[in-house]
Amino acid sequence: MLNIPFQDIAKALDGEIYAEKELTSVNITGAITDSRAYHIEENPLFFALKGPVHNGHHFIDDLISKGVRYFVISDKKFIRDNAAFILVDDTTKALQHLASYVRQQFVYPVIGITGSNGKTIVKEWLYDLLSKENRIIRSPKSYNSQVGVPLSVLLMDESYNLGIFEAGISQPGEIQRLASIIQPEIGILTNIGDAHQEFFASLEQKLDEKLLLFRDAKKMVCRIDNPLVARKAKEFCLQNKIEPVFWSTESEESTISFSVEKNAAYCKITAHYSGKHSVFQIPFTDDSAIENSCHCFASILALGKDPDSLSTHFANLQHVAMRLEIKQGTNQNILINDYYNSDLNSLTIALSVLKQQASEIHKKVLILSDIQQTGWSLPQLYSKVNQLLQESGIDRLIGIGPDISTNREQFLVHAEFYTDVQDFENRFDQHAFRDSAILIKGARKFRFERISGMLQQKAHQTVLEINLNALVNNLNVFRGLLKPETKIMVMVKAFSYGSGDVEIARLLQFQKVDYLAVAVADEGVQLRNAGINLPIIVMNPERDSFQNMLNYRLEPNLYSIELVSEFAAGISDAGIRDFPVHLKIDTGMNRLGLKSEEEIKTCVKLLQNTDKLKLQSVFSHLAGSDEEALDEFTREQFNKFEQTTQFIAKMLPYSFDRHILNSGGIERFPEKQFEMVRLGIGLYGVSQTGLPLENIGTLKSTVSQVKEISSTETVGYNRKGKVDKKSKIAIVPIGYADGIDRKLGNRNGNAFIKGEKVPIIGNVCMDMLMLDVSGLDVEPGDRVEFFGAHISVNDVAQKAGTIPYEILTGISQRVKRVYLQE
């Protein structure tokens, strides 16, 4: 935790202080950059970062109202009374400079990790292997960016004796800034691959960039089985006088050579080095886990520690969850699973996710294990935890473990304690958990997945994983195409394009979008009941739903003279004035909407003559924004829309918003964004122009059975699945009732399993399908992907002869949605 005088920070940042003198004689105790996701320490310092989408300066007034008094800014017009400001040229660089300043105060060893894959797993496994003998500060989650790295390093203090930080880059020039912050004594290069390759001319250029993290290191750990990596790493170490700790599974000329023996459920690995050998086992058999464990072994050797003393720890390594899981629980509960690590920093992050997901109707419950290796005394530690829980509004704490139980007097929130998971299971009462948002947060050794299993709904083996971080990335990509003042309406109709309405709406509310849009009032009612308070427009209002729309503050799209009249009449007895409504203009789609000038004029006159309704927006729908061949027609629609809205504006004494752009329109015609845009399929990862959008959904299932068939046998209904040789077939419990189009059968569609694409063989059944997995080592329980990172939704849609919208919205609601968030 920071403990630096405010004036010393200003000096270190070469900044100018604007504050009354009595405010500057304090010590700063923490750095924050997100006004939404933080917990107030005694004197936190807010860095008002400017990005392509958000400007942190705009949140200063809100933070002052919450009690924050110390700020680093780059714009003088945001200086306020009763607060202290440090004015700098660039707030992001200032954050990085402060981290460099703090890093220089400590002399204990620091390990820096970079590479294309495996950074977070290597970091977490090193922590597991070394934490019994060391007090380790490490990056929370995957905080490896230009902002995440300095925030991680600012957590350093004298209570630790080892630091482990990861660094990621997406374009040239970034790693040098991170090198000056981390200043690693030992560097680990995990591997080099195609991630973020679009900004680099070649893999060699990217490798050169990553190696710069280690320019002042004493030792570097690296696998040299890749010829390019071997050549560049040797040159770099020689040039910078770095001791190489190179390893290989193919060559005995490296510092360490590993031989691997795979068994059914584990790997036996033998390390040969300096005339010695060590043997250890890991409970994994995949190549990436083998590589990551060898990095860890080599790093332990580089630290000067005896690897034999830690060899038994390798057998206890566990799977590392890269993101929190958000699932539906029993009794209308929400489960947030983060039971793979437990420290104060990751608890703070997880509590912010709980705050995001919990609605007003949910009680906030935390199930927390002992927190270990903090450097504080246990009473100090749990007093700090209690402060976090009070600030987060936790309604109920369930503490599990001897340390937290012994320090129960530190907690002022409602709490109950158990010595271990078995004790909790013995006294478990499912009825005590109802209408709650439950954060399950524990160190890996406590095996809290048992608790999650008791609380979650029993899941169909087929799941749709939704990556909420990818969704936020996509939202921000589109925000980057818009003016700061342009409002965003997000379409969450049709179960948010199959992704789940309530969970997506909660995230969008947290991300401060301006409007949500649903198809029918019932969808809006469900969002309101879940605690969503954003404005919601109903695109297809039905007359029978008028009362619900009034009761739940749902704003109708009025697309005809009759609908305007009937809605105005429907609320005449409600005593309501200026109820917000929206007019839809038909500019050529020939779907819902007002088309003739006479219709439009009549509707506007109706609005003029009543104080019951107020026009909130006028909008239209583009028929072909994604097709270049239809651009002339699209421009005609723009012209009609502008003429119509000008006509309406002259008739009304107040202003209203205009919106016509959908996702494709935002990409291709950003000059027509008016006051608002409507974001739909683009949010879910489908681009018309090649924007850097991320896939947000992965449809997965599990192999139920594997069998071999002869060349004379067939597979599935009507004997459509034919083979011409002895083959291996995997049966998977997913079918057309789950959303797999029957056109994908008979070798048209694919699935991804064991690193390979395999064909769907035979007709798709209602609840299952069959895969031809000949030549692959497939077993029951193996995971199968139907779309996601390896098979795009676009590819699936093309093979099914449809569009991505239909694939996404066609995923049955019986398919379990699991939400992942870092």
Side-chain angles (χ1 to χ4, degrees):
M1 184 179 73
L2 289 181
N3 188 28
I4 305 176
F6 179 78
Q7 294 184 351
D8 288 0
I9 290 178
K11 185 177 180 180
L13 300 182
D14 195 23
E16 187 175 356
I17 293 177
Y18 289 83
E20 296 178 9
K21 188 173 182 180
E22 60 268 20
L23 279 173
T24 64
S25 57
V26 301
N27 281 12
I28 295 299
T29 57
I32 56 177
T33 60
D34 190 333
S35 65
R36 302 159 305 179
Y38 78 98
H39 301 279
I40 296 178
E41 300 185 47
E42 186 178 356
N43 292 309
L45 180 64
F46 178 75
F47 284 78
L49 305 183
K50 286 184 178 179
V53 177
H54 297 296
N55 183 345
H57 293 77
H58 295 153
F59 304 103
I60 288 174
D61 290 333
D62 181 50
L63 284 165
I64 290 176
S65 71
K66 294 177 180 177
V68 178
R69 291 291 177 268
Y70 299 95
F71 300 88
V72 177
I73 61 172
S74 58
D75 190 337
K76 289 179 67 172
K77 72 173 179 280
F78 289 94
I79 293 173
R80 304 287 188 264
D81 294 332
N82 300 318
F85 295 85
I86 301 173
L87 181 66
V88 298
D89 292 332
D90 185 314
T91 51
T92 300
K93 289 182 179 178
L95 176 68
Q96 295 170 342
H97 290 159
L98 178 60
S100 297
Y101 170 78
V102 168
R103 168 67 181 91
Q104 291 167 12
Q105 313 306 310
F106 304 101
V107 297
Y108 51 77
V110 167
I111 298 173
I113 308 173
T114 193
S116 297
N117 304 103
K119 299 183 290 294
T120 301
I121 294 174
V122 170
K123 177 197 67 183
E124 293 296 326
W125 280 2
L126 279 174
Y127 177 84
D128 287 348
L129 292 165
L130 297 169
S131 59
K132 288 181 175 60
E133 292 81 26
N134 296 272
R135 300 182 306 279
I136 303 172
I137 177 65
R138 70 198 194 279
S139 310
K141 292 290 182 180
S142 53
Y143 271 36
N144 58 31
S145 67
Q146 297 292 303
V147 173
V149 168
L151 289 175
S152 300
V153 170
L154 287 171
L155 299 171
M156 295 179 74
D157 63 35
E158 65 280 354
S159 66
Y160 302 105
N161 62 12
L162 177 63
I164 309 176
F165 302 107
E166 56 177 293
I169 58 171
S170 58
Q171 52 190 309
E174 292 183 337
I175 204 73
Q176 296 190 58
R177 293 192 291 272
L178 301 185
S180 65
I181 298 169
I182 298 175
Q183 302 169 38
E185 179 178 302
I186 296 172
I188 304 173
L189 177 69
T190 58
N191 52 45
I192 192 74
D194 293 331
H196 302 294
Q197 186 60 43
E198 62 269 24
F199 294 105
F200 294 92
S202 64
L203 281 176
E204 184 170 352
Q205 182 195 15
K206 183 163 63 174
L207 178 57
D208 287 337
E209 175 81 9
K210 288 183 180 290
L211 287 171
L212 290 175
L213 180 66
F214 314 132
R215 63 192 181 196
D216 296 318
K218 295 179 181 177
K219 299 179 181 179
M220 188 176 89
V221 173
C222 175
R223 182 179 189 176
I224 57 169
D225 290 328
N226 180 309
L228 173 64
V229 172
R231 175 174 61 83
K232 300 296 290 188
K234 290 175 182 177
E235 292 173 357
F236 183 81
C237 286
L238 185 63
Q239 179 181 351
N240 293 279
K241 299 179 180 178
I242 299 170
E243 179 183 337
V245 184
F246 294 161
W247 66 268
S248 172
T249 59
E250 300 174 3
S251 170
E252 296 182 359
E253 297 179 2
S254 54
T255 311
I256 312 168
S257 64
F258 292 101
S259 56
V260 179
E261 180 184 332
K262 290 187 179 183
N263 293 282
Y266 67 93
C267 278
K268 176 181 175 183
I269 303 175
T270 304
H272 306 272
Y273 58 97
S274 304
K276 305 176 183 178
H277 72 273
S278 296
V279 179
F280 60 96
Q281 291 184 1
I282 59 171
F284 308 98
T285 60
D286 58 286
D287 291 341
S288 60
I290 293 168
E291 180 177 62
N292 293 332
S293 64
C294 291
H295 281 308
C296 291
F297 184 96
S299 301
I300 291 168
L301 204 61
L303 280 168
K305 298 184 179 295
D306 178 13
D308 285 336
S309 67
L310 301 172
S311 61
T312 57
H313 297 348
F314 280 89
N316 297 319
L317 290 175
Q318 296 181 36
H319 168 73
V320 176
M322 304 298 288
R323 303 177 180 90
L324 294 92
E325 291 183 343
I326 304 169
K327 299 181 176 181
Q328 286 297 321
T330 57
N331 299 327
Q332 290 76 54
N333 294 320
I334 298 170
L335 299 185
I336 304 172
N337 291 334
D338 191 20
Y339 40 68
Y340 289 94
N341 57 55
S342 182
D343 57 65
L344 208 57
N345 302 320
S346 64
L347 174 60
T348 302
I349 296 168
L351 285 170
S352 71
V353 177
L354 176 63
K355 177 182 176 182
Q356 168 191 309
Q357 287 294 323
S359 71
E360 295 175 0
I361 66 172
H362 284 115
K363 296 185 289 292
K364 285 187 275 188
V365 178
L366 171 63
I367 302 177
L368 181 67
S369 77
D370 287 349
I371 297 177
Q372 300 171 326
Q373 300 296 335
T374 65
W376 287 306
S377 69
L378 292 180
Q380 283 179 314
L381 168 64
Y382 290 108
S383 175
K384 290 180 180 293
V385 173
N386 173 68
Q387 182 183 355
L388 279 177
L389 304 192
Q390 288 185 298
E391 291 167 1
S392 302
I394 294 297
D395 298 297
R396 180 185 177 194
L397 167 67
I398 297 170
I400 298 180
D403 291 346
I404 194 171
S405 298
T406 303
N407 288 273
R408 65 183 65 202
E409 69 277 2
Q410 301 297 329
F411 293 97
L412 301 179
V413 299
H414 175 70
E416 58 201 73
F417 299 90
Y418 302 86
T419 55
D420 53 29
V421 173
Q422 187 63 54
D423 184 22
F424 174 81
E425 290 178 342
N426 291 342
R427 294 191 270 162
F428 176 68
D429 177 8
Q430 191 172 72
H431 298 292
F433 296 88
R434 182 176 294 278
D435 297 321
S436 298
I438 306 168
L439 171 60
I440 305 175
K441 180 72 177 158
R444 282 192 277 275
K445 75 172 189 176
F446 281 86
R447 307 304 296 266
F448 271 12
E449 56 265 37
R450 289 159 56 185
I451 296 176
S452 177
M454 296 163 67
L455 289 168
Q456 78 179 64
Q457 292 178 355
K458 299 306 178 186
H460 181 27
Q461 291 182 67
T462 299
V463 299
L464 179 62
E465 289 184 350
I466 308 297
N467 184 333
L468 296 180
N469 294 90
L471 187 143
V472 172
N473 169 78
N474 297 343
L475 174 63
N476 287 336
V477 167
F478 279 96
R479 275 178 163 157
L481 301 177
L482 303 173
K483 300 172 187 175
E485 65 271 18
T486 301
K487 299 175 184 177
I488 297 179
M489 177 187 295
V490 177
M491 313 304 290
V492 292
K493 61 182 182 177
F495 206 54
S496 289
Y497 292 57
S499 300
D501 43 14
V502 171
E503 293 80 6
I504 300 300
R506 286 195 184 112
L507 180 67
L508 294 171
Q509 182 165 272
F510 189 73
Q511 292 296 325
K512 299 185 182 299
V513 303
D514 302 281
Y515 255 94
L516 300 177
V518 297
V520 295
D522 287 350
E523 293 177 328
V525 170
Q526 183 173 355
L527 295 183
R528 288 284 185 249
N529 285 334
I532 303 301
N533 53 38
L534 285 173
I536 298 174
I537 182 173
V538 178
M539 304 301 278
N540 303 317
E542 298 166 308
R543 289 157 181 81
D544 291 343
S545 67
F546 285 175
Q547 191 59 49
N548 265 348
M549 297 181 69
L550 297 179
N551 294 343
Y552 291 92
R553 296 173 290 113
L554 305 175
E555 304 173 14
N557 157 34
L558 303 180
Y559 52 80
S560 69
I561 297 171
E562 295 78 16
L563 201 55
V564 175
S565 301
E566 291 173 8
F567 191 76
I571 67 171
S572 61
D573 298 328
I576 295 174
R577 295 183 59 185
D578 293 335
F579 193 88
V581 298
H582 307 259
L583 281 185
K584 183 165 187 183
I585 308 301
D586 183 359
T587 57
M589 181 79 161
N590 285 318
R591 211 167 58 175
L592 293 178
L594 302 165
K595 190 168 185 178
S596 72
E597 182 177 330
E598 190 60 35
E599 281 182 300
I600 295 166
K601 187 175 181 179
T602 300
C603 284
V604 177
K605 282 186 175 181
L606 287 171
L607 294 172
Q608 281 180 323
N609 296 330
T610 179
D611 62 356
K612 305 296 183 185
L613 307 180
K614 184 176 181 180
L615 186 62
Q616 193 73 19
S617 82
V618 178
F619 70 102
S620 189
H621 204 113
L622 297 175
S625 63
D626 54 345
E627 290 190 41
E628 187 175 351
L630 297 177
D631 282 357
E632 183 177 348
F633 183 80
T634 299
R635 292 189 180 93
E636 290 177 7
Q637 286 192 272
F638 289 142
N639 291 335
K640 289 179 183 178
F641 183 67
E642 291 185 78
Q643 291 169 9
T644 302
T645 53
Q646 288 170 7
F647 170 73
I648 295 172
K650 290 177 182 178
M651 295 183 66
L652 292 175
Y654 54 83
S655 62
F656 50 84
D657 292 333
R658 299 166 295 168
H659 47 106
I660 192 171
L661 295 185
N662 56 5
S663 297
I666 299 170
E667 293 187 53
R668 302 191 62 239
F669 304 99
E671 71 279 5
K672 298 296 184 182
Q673 59 192 261
F674 299 109
E675 290 79 33
M676 186 153 64
V677 297
R678 300 189 305 275
L679 181 56
I681 194 70
L683 182 71
Y684 306 99
V686 178
S687 172
Q688 307 298 333
T689 64
L691 288 178
L693 303 181
E694 296 180 11
N695 165 63
I696 77 157
T698 301
L699 181 61
K700 303 167 71 173
S701 192
T702 303
V703 173
S704 298
Q705 187 179 17
V706 178
K707 57 181 60 178
E708 293 188 350
I709 62 173
S710 69
S711 60
T712 61
E713 294 183 279
T714 59
V715 179
Y717 284 119
N718 305 114
R719 305 196 69 190
K720 293 290 187 180
K722 294 181 170 59
V723 296
D724 56 9
K725 60 183 177 181
K726 184 178 179 181
S727 301
K728 184 187 293 184
I729 305 301
I731 297 89
V732 185
I734 181 173
Y736 57 77
D738 300 291
I740 298 295
D741 196 305
R742 292 187 75 247
K743 298 187 194 74
L744 297 173
N746 300 310
R747 300 189 182 272
N748 183 32
N750 298 301
F752 186 84
I753 183 171
K754 289 288 186 177
E756 300 284 346
K757 285 184 181 179
V758 299
I760 299 172
I761 183 172
N763 283 331
V764 175
C765 309
M766 180 182 289
D767 306 304
M768 65 189 72
L769 54 74
M770 287 67 72
L771 305 175
D772 186 343
V773 294
S774 301
L776 297 180
D777 183 19
V778 174
E779 298 177 350
D782 286 344
R783 301 297 287 173
V784 186
E785 174 192 310
F786 289 91
F787 62 71
H790 305 96
I791 300 175
S792 74
V793 173
N794 280 327
D795 289 343
V796 176
Q798 187 176 20
K799 289 180 180 297
T802 185
I803 55 177
Y805 296 78
E806 185 175 347
I807 298 301
L808 293 172
T809 59
I811 303 303
S812 167
Q813 292 195 33
R814 81 174 183 178
V815 173
K816 187 79 171 177
R817 269 69 173 175
V818 176
Y819 299 89
L820 307 178
Q821 184 168 356
E822 291 182 358

